[in-house]
Amino acid sequence: MLTHLGECCHPVPGDAIIATSRAPGSHGPQKNCPNVIHEREKERLIEVEWGQIEAVYPSKIQVEAWTE
């Protein structure tokens, strides 16, 4: 099943994810994402698992630093 990782919670390999069948190709947020928890149509949720996990995975980070 084609699943796009959730932009709402940015899951990374190993996170528990679930698919939602709302859009073409399903959306794959983390199972504990507020969008999943508050989903009104629970029948749209589909159990999924990670496929083969590569050793390198691009991920977004935000760094905040202060200097004195």
Side-chain angles (χ1 to χ4, degrees):
M1 169 188 290
L2 176 61
T3 303
H4 304 283
L5 297 179
E7 290 294 321
C8 48
C9 55
H10 303 285
V12 295
D15 287 347
I17 59 173
I18 194 158
T20 59
S21 61
R22 215 173 264 286
S26 52
H27 174 77
Q30 294 181 32
K31 285 187 176 183
N32 63 354
C33 176
N35 292 335
V36 172
I37 294 169
H38 300 304
E39 173 64 51
R40 292 178 188 207
E41 300 174 83
K42 299 291 185 190
E43 65 276 2
R44 291 185 175 268
L45 301 176
I46 303 165
E47 291 291 327
V48 294
E49 295 179 1
W50 289 92
Q52 180 179 355
I53 299 173
E54 297 180 21
V56 177
Y57 180 80
S59 123
K60 296 179 182 180
I61 62 168
Q62 178 177 336
V63 177
E64 295 183 23
W66 294 269
T67 60
E68 293 184 32

